[in-house]
Amino acid sequence: PSSTPNTSPHLPPPNKQTNATSAYIFPGLALGIISTGARRVTDRQMLAAAKTLANTLTDDELRAGRVYPPLENIQKVSAAIAAGVAEDLYNAGVATLWLLI
């Protein structure tokens, strides 16, 4: 851990929890699980959700120091997370519903 104080305007003050997991991760995670009929979920899917969330940031947002995408993009972000989680569930062999697109 760094002892440098947080100076980004996009990060919460130290020791202040955010609702990022509830707002960004859980809606997409749940949609991915429900849409695949998965009966078992592991840390792998949480990691897939987190990686997908990180990948939704644009280069400009990253350069600006953002950690999360703008909230006005939440629906697109949730859909992307659901797709990432679903892909991981299919790859892990725990999906029970198969959608042909």
Side-chain angles (χ1 to χ4, degrees), residues 33-92:
I33 294 166
I34 291 167
S35 66
T36 61
R39 304 219 191 292
R40 184 170 42 107
V41 179
T42 68
D43 289 345
R44 270 182 55 147
Q45 287 76 48
M46 288 297 291
L47 182 58
K51 285 181 177 181
T52 303
L53 174 61
N55 288 331
T56 64
L57 287 162
T58 66
D59 289 339
D60 288 340
E61 290 166 345
L62 288 169
R63 277 192 292 277
R66 292 192 70 96
V67 177
Y68 301 107
L71 202 51
E72 56 264 12
N73 296 346
I74 192 72
Q75 289 179 327
K76 289 179 183 177
V77 171
S78 292
I81 291 172
V85 168
E87 180 179 14
D88 190 76
L89 289 164
Y90 286 119
N91 290 340

Side-chain angles (χ1 to χ4, degrees), residues 12-35:
N15 300 321
K16 181 173 180 170
Q17 290 188 338
T18 67
N19 291 326
T21 303
S22 297
Y24 286 99
I25 296 290
F26 286 135
L29 180 68
L31 181 58
I33 294 166
I34 291 167
S35 66

